[in-house]
Amino acid sequence: MIEASHIEVLKSLLGEKGLLTEPTDLAAYEIGARYDKGRAAFVARPATTAEASTVVAYCVKNGIALIPQSGNTGLVSGSTPDDSGSQGILSLDRLTAPFALDRVNRTIKAGAGVRLSDLNGKLEDTGLFFPIDLGADPRLGGMIATNTGGSRFLRYGDVRRNTLGLTVVLADETGTVLDLSSDLRKNNTGVDWKQLFIGTSGAFGIVTECVLNLEPAPKQSATALLVPSSPAEVATLLVAMEDALGSYLSAFEGMSGNAISAALDHVPSLRNPFQGGIVPDFVILAEISRSTPPREGEQPLDAVLEEVLAAIWEREDAPLADAFVGPPHEIWALRHALSEGVKHSGRLIAFDLSFRRGDIMPFLAHMKADMPDHFEDVTICDFGHIGDGGVHFNLVVAKDDPRLADPDFEADLREWVFTVAVENFGGSFSAEHAIGRKNQAFYDQYTPEKIRELAAGLKTITSPGPLGTITF
Protein backbone atom coordinates (compact mmCIF):
# COMPACT_ATOMS: atom_id res chain seq x y z
CA MET A 1 0.00 0.00 0.00
CA ILE A 2 1.04 3.60 -0.57
CA GLU A 3 1.41 5.85 2.47
CA ALA A 4 -1.26 8.54 2.80
CA SER A 5 1.42 11.23 2.83
CA HIS A 6 2.46 10.27 -0.72
CA ILE A 7 -1.13 10.54 -1.89
CA GLU A 8 -1.39 14.02 -0.44
CA VAL A 9 1.79 15.16 -2.19
CA LEU A 10 0.67 13.73 -5.53
CA LYS A 11 -2.69 15.43 -5.12
CA SER A 12 -0.97 18.76 -4.49
CA LEU A 13 1.09 18.26 -7.66
CA LEU A 14 -1.85 17.34 -9.89
CA GLY A 15 -4.98 18.80 -8.28
CA GLU A 16 -8.35 17.12 -7.72
CA LYS A 17 -8.87 16.17 -11.38
CA GLY A 18 -5.34 14.94 -11.76
CA LEU A 19 -5.29 12.27 -9.07
CA LEU A 20 -7.92 9.58 -8.55
CA THR A 21 -8.01 7.48 -5.38
CA GLU A 22 -11.63 6.44 -4.87
CA PRO A 23 -12.35 2.78 -5.75
CA THR A 24 -15.26 3.75 -8.00
CA ASP A 25 -12.96 6.08 -9.98
CA LEU A 26 -10.13 3.57 -10.19
CA ALA A 27 -12.19 0.65 -11.49
CA ALA A 28 -12.11 1.61 -15.17
CA TYR A 29 -8.31 1.84 -15.10
CA GLU A 30 -7.81 -1.44 -13.22
CA ILE A 31 -9.60 -3.72 -15.69
CA GLY A 32 -7.98 -4.55 -19.02
CA ALA A 33 -9.50 -5.41 -22.36
CA ARG A 34 -8.86 -9.14 -22.01
CA TYR A 35 -9.92 -10.27 -18.50
CA ASP A 36 -6.86 -8.95 -16.66
CA LYS A 37 -7.65 -7.06 -13.46
CA GLY A 38 -5.43 -5.52 -10.83
CA ARG A 39 -5.63 -3.09 -7.95
CA ALA A 40 -4.18 0.41 -8.26
CA ALA A 41 -2.95 2.60 -5.42
CA PHE A 42 -3.96 5.68 -7.43
CA VAL A 43 -4.35 6.97 -10.96
CA ALA A 44 -2.22 10.00 -11.85
CA ARG A 45 -3.61 12.01 -14.77
CA PRO A 46 -1.13 14.72 -15.75
CA ALA A 47 -2.36 17.28 -18.28
CA THR A 48 1.09 18.43 -19.46
CA THR A 49 4.54 17.02 -19.99
CA ALA A 50 5.77 19.14 -17.08
CA GLU A 51 3.17 17.62 -14.75
CA ALA A 52 4.09 14.13 -15.92
CA SER A 53 7.75 14.86 -15.25
CA THR A 54 7.03 16.13 -11.73
CA VAL A 55 4.92 13.10 -10.82
CA VAL A 56 7.39 10.60 -12.25
CA ALA A 57 10.30 12.22 -10.43
CA TYR A 58 8.44 12.09 -7.11
CA CYS A 59 7.48 8.45 -7.58
CA VAL A 60 11.01 7.39 -8.55
CA LYS A 61 12.53 9.20 -5.56
CA ASN A 62 10.09 7.41 -3.26
CA GLY A 63 10.21 3.96 -4.87
CA ILE A 64 6.61 4.04 -6.11
CA ALA A 65 6.10 1.82 -9.15
CA LEU A 66 4.20 3.32 -12.08
CA ILE A 67 2.28 1.58 -14.86
CA PRO A 68 1.85 3.82 -17.93
CA GLN A 69 -1.65 3.47 -19.37
CA SER A 70 -2.89 4.85 -22.65
CA GLY A 71 -6.29 3.78 -24.00
CA ASN A 72 -6.15 0.48 -22.07
CA THR A 73 -7.13 -1.47 -25.19
CA GLY A 74 -4.13 -3.83 -25.13
CA LEU A 75 -4.53 -7.59 -24.86
CA VAL A 76 -1.38 -8.75 -23.02
CA SER A 77 -1.83 -7.24 -19.54
CA GLY A 78 0.61 -4.48 -20.34
CA SER A 79 -1.36 -1.50 -19.04
CA THR A 80 -2.98 -2.66 -15.79
CA PRO A 81 -1.48 -2.97 -12.30
CA ASP A 82 -0.90 -6.21 -10.45
CA ASP A 83 -3.12 -7.15 -7.50
CA SER A 84 -0.76 -5.85 -4.79
CA GLY A 85 -2.35 -2.40 -4.53
CA SER A 86 1.15 -0.88 -4.41
CA GLN A 87 1.44 0.29 -8.04
CA GLY A 88 0.16 3.58 -9.36
CA ILE A 89 -1.19 4.10 -12.86
CA LEU A 90 0.01 7.04 -14.92
CA SER A 91 -2.80 7.66 -17.38
CA LEU A 92 -2.33 9.61 -20.61
CA ASP A 93 -6.01 10.50 -20.97
CA ARG A 94 -5.57 14.23 -20.19
CA LEU A 95 -2.46 14.65 -22.36
CA THR A 96 -4.42 15.87 -25.39
CA ALA A 97 -2.31 18.94 -26.26
CA PRO A 98 -0.73 20.11 -28.45
CA PHE A 99 -2.60 19.53 -31.68
CA ALA A 100 -0.64 21.33 -34.39
CA LEU A 101 -0.98 20.46 -38.06
CA ASP A 102 1.76 21.23 -40.58
CA ARG A 103 -0.09 20.82 -43.87
CA VAL A 104 2.98 21.37 -46.04
CA ASN A 105 5.17 18.95 -44.09
CA ARG A 106 2.21 16.57 -43.84
CA THR A 107 2.73 16.06 -40.10
CA ILE A 108 0.80 16.48 -36.88
CA LYS A 109 2.24 17.25 -33.46
CA ALA A 110 -0.19 15.83 -30.91
CA GLY A 111 -0.51 14.89 -27.27
CA ALA A 112 -0.07 11.21 -26.48
CA GLY A 113 -3.55 11.09 -24.97
CA VAL A 114 -5.35 11.88 -28.25
CA ARG A 115 -7.49 8.99 -29.43
CA LEU A 116 -7.01 7.66 -32.94
CA SER A 117 -10.65 8.38 -33.84
CA ASP A 118 -10.38 11.97 -32.59
CA LEU A 119 -7.16 12.53 -34.52
CA ASN A 120 -8.61 11.38 -37.82
CA GLY A 121 -11.91 13.11 -37.11
CA LYS A 122 -10.16 16.47 -36.72
CA LEU A 123 -8.12 15.83 -39.86
CA GLU A 124 -11.09 14.91 -42.03
CA ASP A 125 -11.41 18.33 -43.67
CA THR A 126 -7.69 18.48 -44.49
CA GLY A 127 -7.67 15.50 -46.84
CA LEU A 128 -5.07 13.78 -44.65
CA PHE A 129 -5.20 10.94 -42.12
CA PHE A 130 -3.01 8.86 -39.82
CA PRO A 131 -3.03 5.57 -41.73
CA ILE A 132 -3.12 3.00 -38.94
CA ASP A 133 -6.44 1.15 -39.18
CA LEU A 134 -7.48 -0.69 -36.01
CA GLY A 135 -10.60 -2.31 -34.69
CA ALA A 136 -10.00 -0.67 -31.30
CA ASP A 137 -9.76 3.06 -30.55
CA PRO A 138 -6.45 3.50 -28.71
CA ARG A 139 -4.60 6.65 -27.71
CA LEU A 140 -1.48 7.66 -29.61
CA GLY A 141 0.91 7.01 -26.73
CA GLY A 142 -0.16 3.39 -26.46
CA MET A 143 0.05 2.93 -30.22
CA ILE A 144 3.65 4.14 -30.09
CA ALA A 145 4.53 2.03 -27.05
CA THR A 146 3.25 -1.11 -28.78
CA ASN A 147 4.13 -0.20 -32.39
CA THR A 148 0.71 -1.11 -33.73
CA GLY A 149 0.23 -2.07 -37.35
CA GLY A 150 -3.38 -2.71 -38.30
CA SER A 151 -5.28 -3.73 -41.39
CA ARG A 152 -3.53 -1.46 -43.88
CA PHE A 153 0.06 -2.20 -42.87
CA LEU A 154 0.53 -3.62 -46.37
CA ARG A 155 0.20 -0.12 -47.83
CA TYR A 156 1.26 2.26 -45.08
CA GLY A 157 3.42 0.33 -42.65
CA ASP A 158 3.30 0.42 -38.84
CA VAL A 159 3.52 3.19 -36.24
CA ARG A 160 7.32 3.05 -36.25
CA ARG A 161 7.36 3.90 -39.96
CA ASN A 162 5.00 6.82 -39.40
CA THR A 163 6.61 8.41 -36.32
CA LEU A 164 9.00 11.32 -36.84
CA GLY A 165 9.46 12.63 -33.32
CA LEU A 166 8.62 12.12 -29.65
CA THR A 167 8.68 13.86 -26.30
CA VAL A 168 9.43 11.37 -23.53
CA VAL A 169 9.54 11.52 -19.74
CA LEU A 170 12.19 9.23 -18.28
CA ALA A 171 11.66 7.41 -14.99
CA ASP A 172 14.63 8.88 -13.13
CA GLU A 173 14.86 11.06 -10.04
CA THR A 174 14.50 14.27 -12.02
CA GLY A 175 11.80 13.06 -14.41
CA THR A 176 14.04 14.00 -17.32
CA VAL A 177 12.15 15.29 -20.34
CA LEU A 178 13.76 14.04 -23.53
CA ASP A 179 12.93 16.25 -26.50
CA LEU A 180 13.08 14.09 -29.62
CA SER A 181 10.33 16.02 -31.34
CA SER A 182 12.06 16.64 -34.66
CA ASP A 183 9.70 16.81 -37.61
CA LEU A 184 12.43 16.10 -40.14
CA ARG A 185 11.91 13.15 -42.44
CA LYS A 186 15.65 12.75 -43.08
CA ASN A 187 18.02 13.19 -40.15
CA ASN A 188 21.07 10.93 -40.04
CA THR A 189 23.04 12.74 -37.33
CA GLY A 190 23.58 9.74 -35.11
CA VAL A 191 21.48 7.28 -33.14
CA ASP A 192 17.75 7.53 -33.87
CA TRP A 193 16.85 7.70 -30.19
CA LYS A 194 13.10 7.80 -30.66
CA GLN A 195 13.19 4.17 -31.79
CA LEU A 196 14.05 3.13 -28.21
CA PHE A 197 10.58 4.13 -27.10
CA ILE A 198 8.57 2.66 -29.97
CA GLY A 199 7.40 -0.89 -29.39
CA THR A 200 9.03 -1.26 -25.96
CA SER A 201 5.83 -1.18 -23.88
CA GLY A 202 6.61 2.06 -22.05
CA ALA A 203 9.42 0.53 -20.01
CA PHE A 204 12.12 2.95 -21.21
CA GLY A 205 10.04 6.11 -20.78
CA ILE A 206 6.58 7.63 -21.05
CA VAL A 207 5.66 9.23 -24.37
CA THR A 208 3.76 12.49 -23.75
CA GLU A 209 3.82 14.08 -27.23
CA CYS A 210 4.50 12.84 -30.75
CA VAL A 211 5.09 14.05 -34.28
CA LEU A 212 3.41 11.77 -36.80
CA ASN A 213 3.50 11.40 -40.54
CA LEU A 214 0.15 11.86 -42.28
CA GLU A 215 -0.96 10.44 -45.60
CA PRO A 216 -3.46 11.63 -48.21
CA ALA A 217 -6.78 10.07 -47.31
CA PRO A 218 -8.15 7.63 -49.90
CA LYS A 219 -10.67 9.26 -52.22
CA GLN A 220 -11.64 6.05 -54.00
CA SER A 221 -11.69 2.44 -52.86
CA ALA A 222 -13.05 -0.93 -53.93
CA THR A 223 -13.33 -4.06 -51.84
CA ALA A 224 -14.03 -7.72 -52.42
CA LEU A 225 -14.43 -10.92 -50.44
CA LEU A 226 -12.34 -13.63 -52.07
CA VAL A 227 -12.68 -17.37 -51.52
CA PRO A 228 -9.40 -19.13 -52.34
CA SER A 229 -9.59 -22.43 -54.19
CA SER A 230 -7.84 -23.96 -51.17
CA PRO A 231 -6.04 -22.61 -48.09
CA ALA A 232 -2.74 -23.52 -49.71
CA GLU A 233 -3.49 -21.11 -52.57
CA VAL A 234 -3.78 -18.00 -50.37
CA ALA A 235 -0.10 -17.13 -50.87
CA THR A 236 -0.43 -17.59 -54.63
CA LEU A 237 -3.48 -15.34 -54.63
CA LEU A 238 -1.64 -12.65 -52.65
CA VAL A 239 1.30 -12.61 -55.06
CA ALA A 240 -1.07 -12.51 -58.06
CA MET A 241 -2.92 -9.52 -56.56
CA GLU A 242 0.32 -7.67 -55.82
CA ASP A 243 1.69 -8.35 -59.28
CA ALA A 244 -1.47 -7.04 -60.94
CA LEU A 245 -2.26 -4.10 -58.65
CA GLY A 246 1.03 -2.84 -57.21
CA SER A 247 0.58 -0.02 -54.72
CA TYR A 248 -3.18 0.04 -55.33
CA LEU A 249 -3.49 -2.96 -53.03
CA SER A 250 -4.05 -1.51 -49.55
CA ALA A 251 -5.36 -4.52 -47.60
CA PHE A 252 -5.29 -8.29 -47.83
CA GLU A 253 -7.00 -9.62 -44.71
CA GLY A 254 -7.65 -13.26 -43.87
CA MET A 255 -10.81 -14.33 -42.02
CA SER A 256 -11.65 -17.87 -40.96
CA GLY A 257 -15.18 -19.18 -41.39
CA ASN A 258 -15.44 -19.66 -37.62
CA ALA A 259 -14.59 -16.01 -36.95
CA ILE A 260 -17.04 -14.79 -39.62
CA SER A 261 -19.83 -16.99 -38.25
CA ALA A 262 -19.20 -15.68 -34.74
CA ALA A 263 -19.50 -12.10 -36.01
CA LEU A 264 -22.71 -12.83 -37.91
CA ASP A 265 -24.18 -14.57 -34.85
CA HIS A 266 -23.38 -11.84 -32.36
CA VAL A 267 -23.56 -8.60 -34.37
CA PRO A 268 -27.15 -8.30 -35.65
CA SER A 269 -26.45 -5.30 -37.88
CA LEU A 270 -24.24 -7.34 -40.21
CA ARG A 271 -25.50 -8.69 -43.52
CA ASN A 272 -24.43 -12.17 -44.57
CA PRO A 273 -22.91 -11.59 -48.05
CA PHE A 274 -22.36 -15.23 -49.00
CA GLN A 275 -24.50 -17.17 -51.45
CA GLY A 276 -27.18 -19.14 -49.64
CA GLY A 277 -25.83 -17.80 -46.34
CA ILE A 278 -23.14 -20.51 -46.35
CA VAL A 279 -19.91 -19.14 -44.86
CA PRO A 280 -16.74 -20.48 -46.56
CA ASP A 281 -13.94 -22.01 -44.49
CA PHE A 282 -11.60 -19.12 -45.26
CA VAL A 283 -12.14 -15.71 -46.85
CA ILE A 284 -9.85 -12.89 -47.94
CA LEU A 285 -10.86 -9.24 -47.71
CA ALA A 286 -9.02 -7.38 -50.47
CA GLU A 287 -9.06 -3.60 -50.80
CA ILE A 288 -7.61 -1.33 -53.47
CA SER A 289 -7.58 2.43 -53.15
CA ARG A 290 -6.50 5.75 -54.68
CA SER A 291 -5.78 8.98 -52.86
CA THR A 292 -6.96 11.05 -55.83
CA PRO A 293 -10.58 11.89 -56.71
CA PRO A 294 -12.10 10.25 -59.82
CA ARG A 295 -10.92 11.76 -63.10
CA GLU A 296 -12.87 11.93 -66.33
CA GLY A 297 -12.21 8.86 -68.44
CA GLU A 298 -10.46 7.03 -65.61
CA GLN A 299 -11.46 3.42 -65.04
CA PRO A 300 -13.40 3.13 -61.75
CA LEU A 301 -11.71 1.06 -59.08
CA ASP A 302 -14.57 -1.43 -58.94
CA ALA A 303 -13.93 -2.13 -62.62
CA VAL A 304 -10.17 -2.39 -62.02
CA LEU A 305 -10.71 -4.91 -59.25
CA GLU A 306 -13.21 -6.95 -61.24
CA GLU A 307 -10.86 -7.03 -64.23
CA VAL A 308 -7.94 -8.24 -62.13
CA LEU A 309 -10.02 -10.89 -60.39
CA ALA A 310 -11.38 -12.12 -63.73
CA ALA A 311 -7.83 -12.51 -65.05
CA ILE A 312 -6.78 -14.47 -61.97
CA TRP A 313 -9.90 -16.61 -62.21
CA GLU A 314 -9.12 -17.53 -65.82
CA ARG A 315 -5.64 -18.83 -65.03
CA GLU A 316 -5.16 -22.55 -65.54
CA ASP A 317 -3.99 -22.89 -61.94
CA ALA A 318 -6.54 -20.38 -60.63
CA PRO A 319 -6.07 -19.78 -56.87
CA LEU A 320 -9.54 -18.21 -56.69
CA ALA A 321 -12.79 -20.15 -56.27
CA ASP A 322 -15.25 -17.29 -55.79
CA ALA A 323 -15.39 -13.52 -55.30
CA PHE A 324 -17.89 -10.94 -54.10
CA VAL A 325 -17.18 -7.32 -54.97
CA GLY A 326 -19.24 -5.14 -52.67
CA PRO A 327 -19.60 -1.81 -50.86
CA PRO A 328 -16.50 -1.05 -48.77
CA HIS A 329 -18.49 0.01 -45.71
CA GLU A 330 -20.36 -3.32 -45.61
CA ILE A 331 -17.30 -5.46 -46.19
CA TRP A 332 -15.17 -3.61 -43.64
CA ALA A 333 -18.04 -3.76 -41.15
CA LEU A 334 -17.74 -7.55 -41.28
CA ARG A 335 -13.98 -7.44 -40.73
CA HIS A 336 -14.22 -4.99 -37.84
CA ALA A 337 -16.96 -7.07 -36.16
CA LEU A 338 -14.80 -10.18 -35.90
CA SER A 339 -13.25 -9.28 -32.53
CA GLU A 340 -16.65 -8.51 -31.00
CA GLY A 341 -18.19 -11.70 -32.37
CA VAL A 342 -15.37 -13.95 -31.22
CA LYS A 343 -15.34 -12.34 -27.78
CA HIS A 344 -19.00 -13.23 -27.26
CA SER A 345 -18.64 -16.83 -28.43
CA GLY A 346 -17.08 -18.04 -25.18
CA ARG A 347 -13.97 -17.55 -23.10
CA LEU A 348 -11.36 -16.10 -25.45
CA ILE A 349 -7.68 -16.97 -25.26
CA ALA A 350 -6.03 -14.70 -27.79
CA PHE A 351 -2.62 -14.80 -29.47
CA ASP A 352 -1.00 -12.17 -31.66
CA LEU A 353 1.43 -14.01 -33.91
CA SER A 354 3.41 -13.25 -37.04
CA PHE A 355 5.11 -15.37 -39.67
CA ARG A 356 6.73 -15.18 -43.05
CA ARG A 357 3.78 -14.68 -45.36
CA GLY A 358 4.16 -18.09 -46.95
CA ASP A 359 4.05 -19.83 -43.56
CA ILE A 360 0.72 -18.47 -42.33
CA MET A 361 -1.59 -20.98 -43.97
CA PRO A 362 0.66 -24.00 -43.22
CA PHE A 363 0.69 -22.92 -39.55
CA LEU A 364 -3.10 -22.62 -39.47
CA ALA A 365 -3.51 -26.00 -41.17
CA HIS A 366 -1.11 -27.58 -38.67
CA MET A 367 -2.99 -26.15 -35.70
CA LYS A 368 -6.38 -27.12 -37.09
CA ALA A 369 -5.20 -30.72 -37.49
CA ASP A 370 -3.39 -30.99 -34.14
CA MET A 371 -5.66 -29.00 -31.82
CA PRO A 372 -8.14 -31.86 -31.11
CA ASP A 373 -5.28 -34.16 -30.07
CA HIS A 374 -3.84 -31.63 -27.65
CA PHE A 375 -6.86 -29.64 -26.44
CA GLU A 376 -10.33 -30.98 -27.16
CA ASP A 377 -13.32 -28.68 -27.64
CA VAL A 378 -11.22 -25.60 -28.34
CA THR A 379 -12.44 -23.66 -31.39
CA ILE A 380 -10.00 -21.81 -33.61
CA CYS A 381 -11.40 -18.42 -34.72
CA ASP A 382 -8.44 -16.88 -36.50
CA PHE A 383 -8.25 -13.75 -38.58
CA GLY A 384 -5.49 -11.35 -39.44
CA HIS A 385 -3.30 -9.42 -41.79
CA ILE A 386 -2.15 -11.98 -44.35
CA GLY A 387 -0.49 -9.24 -46.38
CA ASP A 388 2.02 -8.50 -43.60
CA GLY A 389 2.24 -11.92 -41.95
CA GLY A 390 0.16 -11.13 -38.85
CA VAL A 391 -2.42 -13.53 -37.40
CA HIS A 392 -4.83 -13.00 -34.53
CA PHE A 393 -4.93 -16.64 -33.49
CA ASN A 394 -8.01 -16.68 -31.26
CA LEU A 395 -9.06 -19.76 -29.35
CA VAL A 396 -12.56 -20.00 -27.88
CA VAL A 397 -13.54 -22.26 -24.99
CA ALA A 398 -17.11 -22.65 -23.72
CA LYS A 399 -17.69 -20.39 -20.74
CA ASP A 400 -18.87 -23.30 -18.59
CA ASP A 401 -15.86 -25.50 -19.43
CA PRO A 402 -14.48 -26.71 -16.07
CA ARG A 403 -10.91 -26.49 -17.39
CA LEU A 404 -11.12 -22.71 -17.15
CA ALA A 405 -10.99 -22.99 -13.36
CA ASP A 406 -7.53 -24.56 -13.65
CA PRO A 407 -4.84 -21.89 -14.19
CA ASP A 408 -2.55 -24.54 -15.71
CA PHE A 409 -5.00 -25.05 -18.60
CA GLU A 410 -4.44 -21.64 -20.19
CA ALA A 411 -0.74 -21.72 -19.31
CA ASP A 412 -0.30 -25.09 -21.04
CA LEU A 413 -2.32 -23.94 -24.03
CA ARG A 414 -0.23 -20.79 -24.43
CA GLU A 415 3.02 -22.70 -24.13
CA TRP A 416 1.95 -25.20 -26.81
CA VAL A 417 0.84 -22.52 -29.27
CA PHE A 418 3.97 -20.43 -28.80
CA THR A 419 6.23 -23.47 -29.09
CA VAL A 420 4.69 -24.43 -32.42
CA ALA A 421 4.66 -20.85 -33.72
CA VAL A 422 8.21 -19.93 -32.74
CA GLU A 423 10.12 -23.20 -32.83
CA ASN A 424 8.36 -25.05 -35.66
CA PHE A 425 7.47 -22.14 -37.94
CA GLY A 426 10.04 -19.45 -37.05
CA GLY A 427 7.33 -16.96 -36.10
CA SER A 428 7.01 -14.27 -33.44
CA PHE A 429 4.88 -14.65 -30.32
CA SER A 430 4.13 -10.91 -30.37
CA ALA A 431 3.31 -9.34 -33.72
CA GLU A 432 1.89 -5.98 -32.67
CA HIS A 433 0.67 -6.17 -29.07
CA ALA A 434 4.18 -5.86 -27.61
CA ILE A 435 5.11 -7.40 -24.26
CA GLY A 436 2.97 -7.45 -21.13
CA ARG A 437 2.74 -9.74 -18.13
CA LYS A 438 1.07 -12.42 -20.28
CA ASN A 439 4.10 -12.59 -22.57
CA GLN A 440 6.91 -12.00 -20.08
CA ALA A 441 7.84 -15.68 -19.70
CA PHE A 442 8.02 -16.13 -23.46
CA TYR A 443 10.15 -13.01 -23.87
CA ASP A 444 12.53 -14.52 -21.33
CA GLN A 445 12.47 -17.88 -23.09
CA TYR A 446 12.88 -16.82 -26.70
CA THR A 447 15.02 -13.68 -26.48
CA PRO A 448 18.77 -14.39 -26.67
CA GLU A 449 20.63 -13.69 -23.44
CA LYS A 450 22.85 -11.00 -24.96
CA ILE A 451 19.84 -9.14 -26.33
CA ARG A 452 18.18 -9.27 -22.91
CA GLU A 453 21.37 -7.93 -21.33
CA LEU A 454 21.48 -5.03 -23.79
CA ALA A 455 17.78 -4.27 -23.23
CA ALA A 456 18.25 -4.32 -19.45
CA GLY A 457 21.20 -1.98 -19.82
CA LEU A 458 19.17 0.47 -21.88
CA LYS A 459 16.39 0.32 -19.29
CA THR A 460 18.89 1.18 -16.54
CA ILE A 461 20.25 4.11 -18.55
CA THR A 462 16.92 5.60 -19.62
CA SER A 463 14.47 4.84 -16.81
CA PRO A 464 16.06 3.19 -13.77
CA GLY A 465 12.88 3.65 -11.74
CA PRO A 466 10.13 1.00 -11.58
CA LEU A 467 8.15 1.66 -14.78
CA GLY A 468 5.82 -0.57 -16.77
CA THR A 469 4.92 -4.23 -16.56
CA ILE A 470 7.78 -5.81 -18.53
CA THR A 471 11.12 -6.82 -17.07
CA PHE A 472 13.93 -6.51 -19.59
Side-chain angles (χ1 to χ4, degrees):
M1 296 295 293
I2 303 295
E3 293 179 10
S5 59
H6 291 316
I7 299 297
E8 291 304 312
V9 172
L10 291 171
K11 192 173 293 185
S12 70
L13 296 176
L14 292 171
E16 292 295 329
K17 291 183 179 180
L19 192 77
L20 306 179
T21 57
E22 293 298 321
T24 52
D25 296 327
L26 300 180
Y29 298 85
E30 295 172 325
I31 301 173
R34 193 69 82 227
Y35 313 120
D36 51 307
K37 186 179 188 301
R39 190 159 60 93
F42 59 83
V43 174
R45 303 170 65 231
T48 65
T49 295
E51 286 187 355
S53 171
T54 302
V55 168
V56 169
Y58 181 85
C59 288
V60 171
K61 287 177 183 176
N62 291 279
I64 300 171
L66 286 174
I67 307 298
Q69 185 179 106
S70 184
N72 200 21
T73 61
L75 305 178
V76 293
S77 300
S79 60
T80 50
D82 61 23
D83 58 7
S84 67
S86 63
Q87 296 178 325
I89 292 172
L90 192 143
S91 171
L92 307 185
D93 58 8
R94 295 177 70 213
L95 287 166
T96 55
F99 195 91
L101 172 68
D102 185 333
R103 184 64 181 82
V104 174
N105 202 40
R106 211 168 12 92
T107 55
I108 185 78
K109 185 172 186 179
V114 174
R115 285 200 180 273
L116 177 61
S117 61
D118 291 335
L119 173 63
N120 283 330
K122 291 179 180 179
L123 292 172
E124 193 169 350
D125 292 339
T126 70
L128 301 174
F129 80 132
F130 186 52
I132 309 297
D133 179 70
L134 303 172
D137 188 19
R139 299 182 191 276
L140 299 179
M143 295 176 69
I144 291 164
T146 56
N147 187 33
T148 51
S151 298
R152 293 184 173 91
F153 182 105
L154 181 65
R155 173 81 165 269
Y156 300 108
D158 54 11
V159 165
R160 186 184 301 280
R161 176 172 153 187
N162 288 282
T163 300
L164 285 91
L166 298 174
T167 302
V168 182
V169 174
L170 304 182
D172 57 22
E173 291 196 353
T174 59
T176 299
V177 176
L178 204 57
D179 185 355
L180 306 170
S181 58
S182 171
D183 51 7
L184 300 178
R185 296 176 186 277
K186 303 175 77 172
N187 183 15
N188 293 309
T189 55
V191 177
D192 190 1
W193 293 106
K194 68 176 180 294
Q195 299 298 341
L196 286 180
F197 306 98
I198 302 175
T200 46
S201 305
F204 291 168
I206 300 169
V207 174
T208 58
E209 298 177 14
C210 53
V211 181
L212 304 175
N213 170 64
L214 303 176
E215 293 288 340
K219 302 294 191 305
Q220 306 174 63
S221 64
T223 52
L225 297 175
L226 313 179
V227 181
S229 54
S230 74
E233 294 296 334
V234 168
T236 304
L237 180 57
L238 170 58
V239 172
M241 295 282 285
E242 287 183 324
D243 287 347
L245 292 161
S247 61
Y248 275 14
L249 186 63
S250 50
F252 194 89
E253 298 284 288
M255 305 182 289
S256 68
N258 286 341
I260 293 172
S261 295
L264 293 171
D265 288 344
H266 295 280
V267 183
S269 61
L270 293 178
R271 182 182 69 85
N272 188 329
F274 302 105
Q275 190 171 1
I278 300 173
V279 178
D281 288 339
F282 199 81
V283 178
I284 297 293
L285 185 162
E287 177 191 74
I288 63 175
S289 60
R290 291 186 185 126
S291 59
T292 55
R295 296 186 177 97
E296 185 176 351
E298 184 178 60
Q299 189 178 24
L301 281 186
D302 281 349
V304 172
L305 185 55
E306 289 172 0
E307 186 177 286
V308 167
L309 294 176
I312 294 173
W313 205 321
E314 290 168 3
R315 287 171 39 164
E316 188 174 338
D317 60 342
L320 186 61
D322 210 347
F324 310 84
V325 176
H329 68 278
E330 287 190 11
I331 290 182
W332 276 109
L334 177 62
R335 169 62 180 85
H336 288 148
L338 297 181
S339 295
E340 189 70 14
V342 169
K343 184 172 69 174
H344 284 89
S345 298
R347 175 75 177 208
L348 178 60
I349 302 174
F351 301 82
D352 175 46
L353 310 174
S354 71
F355 304 91
R356 293 176 294 271
R357 299 195 307 180
D359 288 340
I360 295 174
M361 300 313 294
F363 167 79
L364 293 176
H366 177 94
M367 300 306 276
K368 186 175 181 180
D370 278 17
M371 183 68 74
D373 293 336
H374 288 82
F375 297 92
E376 292 183 333
D377 300 320
V378 174
T379 303
I380 301 174
C381 294
D382 59 282
F383 57 91
H385 319 304
I386 303 297
D388 62 51
V391 176
H392 298 292
F393 189 68
N394 300 298
L395 303 180
V396 177
V397 183
K399 291 181 179 179
D400 59 355
D401 192 312
R403 293 176 295 180
L404 293 174
D406 179 6
D408 290 336
F409 170 68
E410 181 173 341
D412 292 344
L413 181 55
R414 286 189 176 278
E415 184 172 0
W416 177 66
V417 171
F418 285 145
T419 298
V420 174
V422 177
E423 298 182 13
N424 295 11
F425 286 88
S428 168
F429 62 87
S430 178
E432 57 182 356
H433 289 171
I435 309 299
R437 282 191 299 275
K438 283 188 178 179
N439 285 342
Q440 179 71 57
F442 303 102
Y443 170 83
D444 296 341
Q445 179 179 349
Y446 289 119
T447 305
E449 182 178 0
K450 187 60 179 178
I451 299 300
R452 286 189 280 117
E453 288 178 4
L454 290 171
L458 288 171
K459 162 67 176 167
T460 301
I461 292 170
T462 56
S463 288
L467 183 68
T469 61
I470 183 175
T471 301
F472 281 111

